[in-house]
């Protein structure tokens, strides 16, 4: 299972993590040779992500809403730099210096956007 699939299955245990799309599919040129815009994966409403995460044991002690490290800790997943680099590679995130505050914040936003794209309900401030 992909690292993002593990995150998704921890939040939505009943969802089929094998169907989760970690990175957007590559755009394929159309018949005219012009690049086509890749369609997003189908979204099936799964639930209110903040409510699910806030209900988890230890959530009150972690800043999971803005910290990728705290989000991974809350989910019981490896939060090491190596694990975060693996996650970033999987979701095609490459902005900034790995491990820096900017990079971690950007990675968190990308993960939240992918959760929303796969059916999780998130307020805009957690996606953008």
């Amino acid at each position: 299972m992909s690292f993002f699939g593990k995150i998704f299955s921890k939040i939505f245990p009943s969802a089929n993590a094998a169907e989760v799309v970690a990175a957007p599919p590559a755009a394929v040129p159309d018949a005219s040779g012009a690049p086509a815009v890749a369609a997003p994966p189908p979204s099936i409403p799964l639930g209110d992500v903040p409510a699910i995460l806030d209900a988890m044991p230890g959530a009150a002690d972690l800043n999971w809403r803005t910290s990728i490290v705290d989000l991974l800790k809350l989910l019981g997943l490896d939060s090491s730099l190596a694990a975060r680099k693996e996650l970033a590679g999987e979701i095609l995130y490459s902005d900034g210096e790995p491990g820096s505050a900017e990079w971690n914040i950007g990675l968190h936003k990308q993960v939240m956007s992918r959760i929303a794209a796969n059916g999780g309900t998130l307020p805009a401030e957690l996606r953008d």
Side-chain angles (χ1 to χ4, degrees):
M1 179 182 307
S2 68
F3 198 103
F4 181 77
K6 290 176 188 176
I7 291 170
F8 201 82
S9 67
K10 292 281 188 170
I11 298 170
F12 303 110
S14 62
N16 185 354
E19 295 176 7
V20 172
V21 179
V28 180
D30 64 15
S32 69
V37 177
S43 179
I44 301 167
L46 294 170
D48 183 18
V49 176
I52 293 167
L53 294 175
D54 281 338
M56 290 184 167
D61 299 326
L62 296 169
N63 186 16
W64 67 263
R65 290 175 186 268
T66 57
S67 170
I68 189 67
V69 172
D70 283 358
L71 175 64
L72 296 174
K73 285 180 181 180
L74 178 62
L75 299 174
L77 297 171
D78 183 0
S79 63
S80 68
L81 180 57
R84 287 178 279 137
K85 284 180 178 179
E86 177 186 342
L87 175 60
E90 187 178 302
I91 65 172
L92 306 177
Y93 178 72
S94 61
D95 292 349
E97 180 66 31
S100 70
E102 287 177 280
W103 184 82
N104 283 320
I105 291 167
L107 179 60
H108 182 273
K109 288 182 181 195
Q110 286 295 310
V111 167
M112 290 298 178
S113 292
R114 296 291 194 282
I115 290 170
N118 282 281
T121 304
L122 284 160
E125 66 268 11
L126 290 179
R127 289 179 278 139
D128 304 322

